[in-house]
Amino acid sequence: VRRSAAYALGEIGSEKAVEPLLNALTTAKESDVRGRAAYALGIIGSEKAVEPLLNALTTAKESDVRGRAAYALGIMGSEKAVEPLLNALTTAKESDVRGRAAYALGRMGSEKAVEPLLKALTADKKSDVRRSAAYALGIMRSEKAVEPLLNALTTAKESDVRESAAYALGIMRSEKAVEPLLNALTTAKESDVRESAAYALGIMGSEKAVEPLLKALTTDEESYVRSNAAFALEKISKKTGKRIVLEDKKMNLQLKI
């Protein structure tokens, strides 16, 4: 009940909730209650929460509390959190803490985080950390990350890493990524990779992607891939100012975007 209450208070976003949430963060015996309180404080964004959240990040025994504190600090964007988050990314034993620290650093956009995130992307043994590092580097849009992200997209064994790399490259809108993303869309066995590649190509708005996206729209077995292909075609149409017309008599389908 208290866990749900902490979450609800964060969603409401009232300053009146700060003190009860701080109390829950610092005194509750249950780690899930403290973790939810940390998350809620991040959503509310009160300056009063920065030091208690930093304390939770650096001293809590439970990884879920430290991870949620990292996430909360990332949402809040306090400069005080950069060094502790870098420390969590590079030294925490638990992958969920490292992963959430990576996400938080990406949200904050600190240049200090680029090299540690690149190292996490290329060297961390856990795919959830590499996935978060890829996402973080994407939203930071650092040019240094393009080649490592392309490498992750084309060589990573784990589909969640390739999925995140595709999404990140789409956000960055690097022309170098068009062909690798097209290859991912058309050849990846895993639907989550194809789905992310379709979305990324839509964000980039490349006309080269129209035919492969039309094929994905009409032939891919997974609805999420087809949905993102439709989204991407709409984005490309709006960017180029050209209508995209598809007629497929076999499917009794006529599409005009």
Side-chain angles (χ1 to χ4, degrees):
V1 175
R2 285 188 292 169
R3 177 183 64 185
S4 298
Y7 182 81
L9 287 168
E11 290 298 310
I12 292 169
S14 171
E15 279 290 325
K16 293 179 181 178
V18 172
E19 291 302 329
L21 285 167
L22 286 171
N23 185 60
L25 174 65
T26 54
T27 66
K29 293 180 180 180
E30 305 91 342
S31 65
D32 58 345
V33 175
R34 301 202 309 279
R36 287 296 183 107
Y39 174 84
L41 287 163
I43 295 295
I44 293 172
S46 172
E47 276 296 311
K48 293 180 183 178
V50 172
E51 291 300 331
L53 285 167
L54 286 170
N55 186 60
L57 172 64
T58 55
T59 67
K61 293 179 181 179
E62 304 90 346
S63 67
D64 61 331
V65 177
R66 301 204 312 280
R68 286 180 182 271
Y71 183 89
L73 288 162
I75 295 172
M76 295 176 71
S78 172
E79 281 298 312
K80 293 180 181 179
V82 173
E83 292 301 330
L85 285 168
L86 286 170
N87 186 61
L89 173 64
T90 55
T91 67
K93 293 180 180 179
E94 305 91 343
S95 65
D96 60 334
V97 178
R98 299 197 303 277
R100 283 176 168 164
Y103 174 86
L105 288 162
R107 285 286 300 260
M108 297 176 74
S110 172
E111 279 297 313
K112 292 180 182 178
V114 172
E115 292 300 329
L117 284 168
L118 286 170
K119 186 175 181 179
L121 172 65
T122 57
D124 201 286
K125 293 180 180 179
K126 294 293 185 178
S127 67
D128 58 332
V129 180
R130 300 201 305 280
R131 178 188 66 212
S132 294
Y135 176 83
L137 288 163
I139 59 178
M140 291 177 74
R141 299 181 181 179
S142 170
E143 277 298 310
K144 293 180 182 178
V146 173
E147 291 300 331
L149 285 168
L150 286 169
N151 187 60
L153 173 64
T154 54
T155 66
K157 293 179 180 179
E158 304 91 346
S159 67
D160 60 339
V161 177
R162 301 205 312 279
E163 174 196 6
S164 188
Y167 180 83
L169 287 162
I171 295 172
M172 295 177 76
R173 294 173 171 81
S174 171
E175 281 298 312
K176 294 180 181 178
V178 173
E179 292 300 330
L181 285 169
L182 287 171
N183 186 61
L185 173 65
T186 55
T187 67
K189 294 180 180 179
E190 304 91 344
S191 63
D192 57 341
V193 178
R194 301 196 306 275
E195 177 188 345
S196 189
Y199 182 85
L201 288 163
I203 294 174
M204 295 176 74
S206 173
E207 287 191 66
K208 292 181 182 179
V210 171
E211 290 302 323
L213 285 166
L214 285 170
K215 185 175 181 180
L217 177 64
T218 55
T219 65
D220 202 284
E221 296 177 355
E222 295 295 331
S223 62
Y224 289 114
V225 180
R226 298 197 303 272
S227 176
N228 272 5
F231 162 84
L233 288 164
E234 182 182 2
K235 284 286 186 182
I236 293 169
S237 178
K238 286 181 179 178
K239 180 180 178 181
T240 61
K242 297 178 181 179
R243 294 191 74 187
I244 297 171
V245 180
L246 168 67
E247 292 188 12
D248 192 319
K249 293 180 181 179
K250 290 181 180 180
M251 295 182 65
N252 191 29
L253 173 66
Q254 186 179 63
L255 172 71
K256 294 182 181 180
I257 299 175

